[in-house]
Amino acid sequence: MTALDEIKIGGLGASRKRVEDDRFIRGKGNYLDDIVLPGMLHMEILRSPLAHARITSIDTTRAYEIPGVHLVLTGEMMATRNLAWMPTLSYDTQAVLATDKVRFQGQEVAAVIADDPYVAKDACEAIVVEYEPLPAIVSPAQAVADGAPVIRDDKENQADNVIYTWEIGDKAATDAAFAQADLVSTMKLHYPRSHPSPIECCGSVADFNRATSKLTVYMTTQAPHIIRAAVALVAELPEHMIRIVSPDIGGGFGNKVPVYPGYVCSILASILLERPVKWIEDKTGNLISTGFARDIYLDGELALRKDGKILGMRMHADADHGAFFSDAQPSKFKIGLLHSTFACYDIPAAHLTARGTYSNKAPGGVAYRCSFRVTEAMFFQERMIAAAAADLGVDPAEFRRVNFVRDEQFPHRTAFGFLLDSGQYAKCLDVGLRAIGYEEFRKRQEQARAKGRLLGLGISTMTEPLGAGNSREYDILGIKMFDSAELKVHMTGKAIVRTGARTQGQGHETTWAQIVAHELGIPAQDVVVEEGDTDTAPFGMGTYASRSTPVAGAAVSMAARKVRAKARKLAAHLLEVSEEDVEWELGRFYVRSAPDRGVTITECALAAYSNMPDGLEPGLEATAFYDPPNLTWPFAVYIVTVEVDPATGVWDVLDVVAVDDCGVRINPMIVEGQIMGGLTEAYAMANMQFITFDAEGNCIGSNYMDYLLPTAWETPGFELHSEVVTPSPHHPIGAKGVGECAAVGGPAAFVNAVLDAVGHLGIRNIDMPLLPDRVWEAITERHDVSGAPPVRSEG
Ligand code: MCN
Ligand code: CUM
């Protein structure tokens, strides 16, 4: 026997079909709403119709009169148990159920627990709440205006609506760079609110068992272990008596990272009623109250030299966080990793300031398919780069190439202090330009323009810091960021691997088995992957920020290597040679001097239970905790071509080319799926997704008539390229994260393409979404169009 064929056993690089899809496409998944427990009750939430109002009274009498109603929770009741407010992941507090005021439209005011969800919903409507309306704030500018009402008057020492001010970088060096500039290019834009809107909404089934004192909560969460710790601390329950189970998840995209009031209410209700309580959000509830992202005003400048070299960068961010500051992000950074902006460019000096403010909107700024605001960072970067190239009158592709971090500069320290691990930026760009037919397109564009047709080409590049931690720099609420994996090899050579991550559609059940196959030669189909149950899964910080492959995946590798080290001892024993004389090739140990004499990993597994050498602990399992030395930095180039109709402002996508370098690909097919999904979201954000607020704080876009999800019909085709592979030097298998790259880098490619088509008309910016009326207004009025100011309400 010789080494196994890695692709045949489903190892690294095999485009193995996703094993989880078998049950999903047959409708056999086990999602939260599939969970039915004996005696289970149902909870519905009453939400505020107003954005900002004082609550003068809540009368629940009529709700209690409805047959089938067991409990009506109000903020006042929660307060008696110290649960009216809960801590957020960013050291703020958030109302669980409103007591004093409501602070955004859709805020949770009361919860009804009843025999079935319809009765609970009816009972919600029977609750009488009296409000005294207050003026609403819907932008950072309004939040800091003189005389603005203080939204968070519940907080001591909060005299205004400012949450934080923050800065990073070297101001003096940046000022000096600007003093030397031949030209200063500016950019001001608004990255609008967006919503992850996974197919499955959020929900929980809380089951408190009085007999055992154990609380089991089935919950749509991307980070079950963190939730367990949070529940232990907030509800003051012992951690070992809490079991969080995250069942199959119908998409997360960041929506299922935060802790929502519904979870807390269902837990309290189950404890009070001693019965399982299920809460499932409806689509409106999900769209109006949970997991908003972005909503940030960015204003920046580049100091440029005539020859196209960038000397310095400065920017200011005004972030609208909504009524509660509840972002999940590393504690050290107030505005996530926004300072990853311009990381792929070699810029000597940079300075960033940020201010976060409260508004009468649902909590926002929560990540949506981005590693803590990297989406905003890269969007701004690539819009700014496009504008600067135009200001300088240089080719935008060449401008990028001149300023890229060069291959020989890695590892490269950015002006904001990140250490880039590896990359081949110029090569990715070349592949992209060739694929789109750059030179030919420029000619076509010119000919078309002569005939009054508007063609445009947009380039976007991005690099993303993925894989928090290392624990030195990254923690959430003081909990250091690392991950672990546990691998058990059974006596017949089959195995189970568990991690503290939680797949939501990314395919971990498929890819983690491939890592084991790569490390041990156990065919992937013989390895089962389990995640999401805190009673069985080893500790982990969860799945977001595309950290699973960089951290949990690395832990799988390390656990497998520990198993291999032990198997080597068993092999030496079986082969009757010393360990030093044993060599490894995929699936098999052999004697160095006699390669024909060998034992398979399966034989070693059996020996671990039946024939171990004296003094060796039986069994073949290992747990590895992995604290990454650094983040992984994938890179990508996205290029889009469009045609804009000057008569209507409608734009059609002609071609999309994507060149992603995420290091070694575990499963190329899954990686391509991730990229296509991300590009689809990027297209949606650029083209059609619109959430805004009128002057009274009414949320416009809280339904799928206003907030559009692209279907296969309108989504353009994508041409994907995988020929550039720069392994991460510090990751055990050289893989970098990829789950968010296309959603991060994609939007600017679409927007840059449209602006390239209309830029010669004197238009510098149109804010997303680039709806036809905005594009048409820009073309006909020849001015920039900002989507930022609140929509005036009629009547
Ligand atoms: N992968 C690979 N080779 C690489 C990198 C990744 O084969 N070099 C595989 C991984 O093993 C995994 C998938 O690609 O199966 C994504 O891996 P990774 O980049 O590590 O990201 P995570 O698993 O941590 O997923 C999180 C990321 C985030 S943060 C959001 S948001 C998002 C995304 O994944 N949400 C998703 N993609 C999603 N895809 C689906 N279907 N559903 C979501 O909710
Ligand atoms: Cu940034 S959304 Mo994902 O990190 O779950």
Side-chain angles (χ1 to χ4, degrees):
M1 186 196 157
T2 54
L4 296 170
D5 180 331
E6 173 140 10
I7 298 300
K8 277 197 186 138
I9 64 162
L12 229 51
S15 281
R16 221 187 144 209
K17 281 193 182 166
R18 306 200 328 167
V19 297
E20 44 268 84
D21 287 354
D22 189 67
R23 65 178 190 277
F24 293 161
I25 59 177
R26 288 170 205 270
K28 300 285 185 197
N30 186 38
Y31 296 96
L32 194 95
D33 206 21
D34 294 318
I35 294 168
V36 176
L37 300 179
M40 189 172 79
L41 300 172
H42 298 265
M43 187 180 98
E44 284 290 329
I45 289 176
L46 175 69
R47 297 178 182 281
S48 168
L50 301 176
H52 199 193
R54 203 159 291 289
I55 297 177
T56 51
S57 70
I58 302 180
D59 184 354
T60 60
T61 326
R62 279 185 43 227
Y64 267 115
E65 284 164 9
I66 296 178
V69 171
H70 292 255
L71 180 68
V72 183
L73 288 175
T74 59
E76 204 179 322
M77 278 178 71
M78 302 297 282
T80 63
R81 289 177 169 76
N82 213 11
L83 284 175
W85 292 83
M86 62 180 178
T88 71
L89 296 171
S90 281
Y91 296 95
D92 193 8
T93 49
Q94 173 169 356
V96 177
L97 294 178
T99 47
D100 52 338
K101 286 203 307 194
V102 287
R103 292 174 170 83
F104 66 89
Q105 185 181 56
Q107 188 181 339
E108 301 79 358
V109 174
V112 175
I113 295 90
D115 282 333
D116 74 52
Y118 305 101
V119 172
K121 203 147 204 130
D122 287 347
C124 280
E125 282 168 21
I127 298 171
V128 183
V129 187
E130 276 175 27
Y131 298 102
E132 202 177 90
L134 296 166
I137 287 175
V138 294
S139 72
Q142 291 177 352
V144 298
D146 284 343
V150 177
I151 296 170
R152 294 301 302 277
D153 48 356
D154 57 291
K155 292 176 77 170
E156 263 177 59
N157 309 324
Q158 181 77 44
D160 56 21
N161 293 313
V162 176
I163 308 171
Y164 60 80
T165 55
W166 194 69
E167 79 174 286
I168 191 165
D170 187 335
K171 183 171 187 310
T174 307
D175 289 346
F178 274 84
Q180 283 172 11
D182 294 322
L183 181 76
V184 172
S185 186
T186 62
M187 174 57 64
K188 204 174 178 145
L189 54 84
H190 178 233
Y191 199 133
R193 266 196 169 218
S194 57
H195 194 279
S197 47
I199 293 178
E200 184 197 28
C201 299
C202 298
S204 50
V205 179
D207 181 17
F208 180 67
N209 184 329
R210 177 68 67 198
T212 58
S213 295
K214 184 141 184 170
L215 172 69
T216 302
V217 192
Y218 303 87
M219 187 190 278
T220 50
T221 176
Q222 300 177 217
H225 285 91
I226 300 306
I227 295 285
R228 183 179 64 182
V231 171
L233 296 171
V234 174
E236 293 182 4
L237 293 169
E239 197 174 351
H240 67 300
M241 285 291 141
I242 303 168
R243 176 180 170 217
I244 306 294
V245 184
S246 175
D248 283 335
I249 296 188
F253 304 104
N255 191 227
K256 289 162 181 165
V257 176
V259 181
Y260 296 118
Y263 298 155
V264 180
C265 291
S266 69
I267 290 171
L268 181 65
S270 179
I271 291 172
L272 293 176
L273 296 167
E274 296 183 21
R275 289 185 52 182
V277 173
K278 179 187 273 187
W279 164 63
I280 299 271
E281 218 175 37
D282 58 19
K283 272 288 167 204
T284 307
N286 183 260
L287 267 173
I288 204 168
S289 73
T290 63
F292 285 103
R294 337 283 193 230
D295 208 348
I296 190 168
Y297 294 75
L298 298 165
D299 189 350
E301 302 177 286
L302 284 184
L304 302 164
R305 212 165 59 192
K306 273 200 295 282
D307 63 0
K309 177 82 185 99
I310 303 171
L311 301 175
M313 191 284 297
R314 65 163 79 103
M315 77 189 267
H316 174 73
D318 264 314
D320 182 339
H321 286 274
F324 311 107
F325 180 29
S326 68
D327 298 20
Q329 62 191 357
S331 313
K332 253 178 88 171
F333 310 109
K334 284 289 173 220
I335 187 137
L337 304 184
L338 191 67
H339 56 301
S340 60
T341 191
F342 286 91
C344 62
Y345 297 107
D346 181 17
I347 294 182
H351 185 237
L352 181 158
T353 55
R355 179 176 62 187
T357 46
Y358 290 118
S359 70
N360 293 112
K361 302 179 185 175
V366 173
Y368 160 28
R369 214 162 188 181
C370 77
S371 183
F372 316 115
R373 296 220 187 246
V374 175
T375 309
E376 291 97 311
M378 295 305 142
F379 182 73
F380 183 77
Q381 165 192 302
E382 290 303 305
R383 292 286 301 113
M384 174 92 254
I385 285 280
D391 290 346
L392 276 169
V394 298
D395 176 78
E398 195 48 34
F399 182 53
R400 287 176 170 86
R401 195 193 317 275
V402 166
N403 287 288
F404 273 154
V405 175
R406 292 185 311 279
D407 299 1
E408 66 276 13
Q409 284 177 290
F410 293 99
H412 173 75
R413 183 74 67 185
T414 73
F416 286 122
F418 289 109
L419 190 67
L420 306 180
D421 59 347
S422 63
Q424 301 176 69
Y425 300 168
K427 188 172 171 192
C428 289
L429 181 63
D430 289 343
V431 170
L433 294 175
R434 216 174 308 126
I436 203 82
Y438 191 64
E439 302 299 337
E440 298 87 67
F441 186 86
R442 288 297 182 207
K443 283 185 207 129
R444 259 174 74 198
Q445 182 180 28
E446 215 167 293
Q447 289 158 2
R449 199 172 284 169
K451 294 187 192 129
R453 283 174 57 205
L454 302 174
L455 299 191
L457 180 147
I459 302 174
S460 174
T461 68
M462 72 102 228
T463 184
E464 200 184 1
L466 295 180
N470 54 74
S471 69
R472 296 182 310 284
E473 288 174 293
Y474 299 94
D475 70 86
I476 289 185
L477 289 182
I479 306 170
K480 303 271 189 192
M481 299 187 79
F482 56 85
D483 265 82
S484 67
E486 176 199 83
L487 173 63
K488 297 185 178 190
V489 182
H490 310 310
M491 68 175 85
T492 55
K494 316 289 180 194
I496 177 165
V497 61
R498 295 185 168 110
T499 83
R502 184 53 180 138
T503 189
Q504 316 130 37
Q506 294 90 346
H508 295 178
E509 289 174 48
T510 308
T511 46
W512 295 170
Q514 293 185 246
I515 296 177
V516 175
H518 168 71
E519 296 288 353
L520 292 177
I522 298 176
Q525 65 189 34
D526 292 345
V527 183
V528 64
V529 175
E530 212 183 83
E531 294 179 335
D533 182 339
T534 57
D535 266 7
T536 52
F539 181 83
M541 292 296 281
T543 290
Y544 43 84
S546 302
R547 58 187 301 285
S548 304
T549 300
V551 198
V556 170
S557 236
M558 300 315 268
R561 287 177 193 185
K562 282 188 181 176
V563 163
R564 195 167 72 208
K566 182 161 183 191
R568 179 185 293 272
K569 292 186 198 301
L570 291 157
H573 170 67
L574 293 175
L575 294 165
E576 297 178 325
V577 292
S578 74
E579 230 186 295
E580 294 73 57
D581 296 330
V582 171
E583 290 284 335
W584 166 258
E585 61 185 6
L586 192 62
R588 165 180 192 268
F589 293 101
Y590 62 90
V591 180
R592 183 175 308 127
S593 55
D596 289 348
R597 278 189 61 212
V599 286
T600 63
I601 187 78
T602 313
E603 288 166 317
C604 293
L606 186 61
Y609 295 85
S610 61
N611 177 17
M612 50 283 188
D614 284 348
L616 187 72
E617 198 181 325
L620 193 56
E621 4 190 287
T623 299
F625 282 78
Y626 188 77
D627 185 0
N630 188 8
L631 300 158
T632 67
W633 292 81
F635 180 78
V637 172
Y638 304 113
I639 307 180
V640 170
T641 53
V642 298
E643 173 151 15
V644 179
D645 179 352
T648 60
V650 170
W651 50 280
D652 287 323
V653 176
L654 305 174
D655 285 303
V656 180
V657 164
V659 185
D660 276 84
D661 176 5
C662 58
V664 174
R665 296 182 178 201
I666 303 164
N667 183 321
M669 185 172 64
I670 285 185
V671 168
E672 293 202 341
Q674 289 292 314
I675 295 166
M676 288 187 202
L679 286 171
T680 305
E681 287 176 320
Y683 170 67
M685 284 183 252
N687 187 286
M688 59 179 76
Q689 292 189 332
F690 192 33
I691 293 176
T692 190
F693 293 80
D694 70 14
E696 278 86 56
N698 294 306
C699 178
I700 298 164
S702 59
N703 61 72
Y704 287 137
M705 295 293 284
D706 297 324
Y707 191 71
L708 305 179
L709 294 193
T711 65
W713 191 77
E714 50 271 302
T715 304
F718 309 123
E719 181 184 316
L720 308 186
H721 288 261
S722 56
E723 50 266 62
V724 189
V725 178
T726 319
S728 170
H730 59 80
H731 186 278
I733 54 171
K736 302 180 178 187
V738 76
E740 304 154 305
C741 293
V744 167
F750 291 99
V751 176
N752 281 346
V754 173
L755 279 145
D756 183 56
V758 302
H760 64 288
L761 304 173
I763 305 154
R764 208 178 152 78
N765 187 44
I766 306 172
D767 276 339
M768 291 194 292
L770 273 63
L771 302 169
D773 58 331
R774 287 189 182 176
V775 177
W776 184 81
E777 180 186 332
I779 295 171
T780 51
E781 310 279 321
R782 306 202 172 221
H783 66 192
D784 291 2
V785 176
S786 168
V791 174
R792 210 170 298 115
S793 70
E794 279 100 14

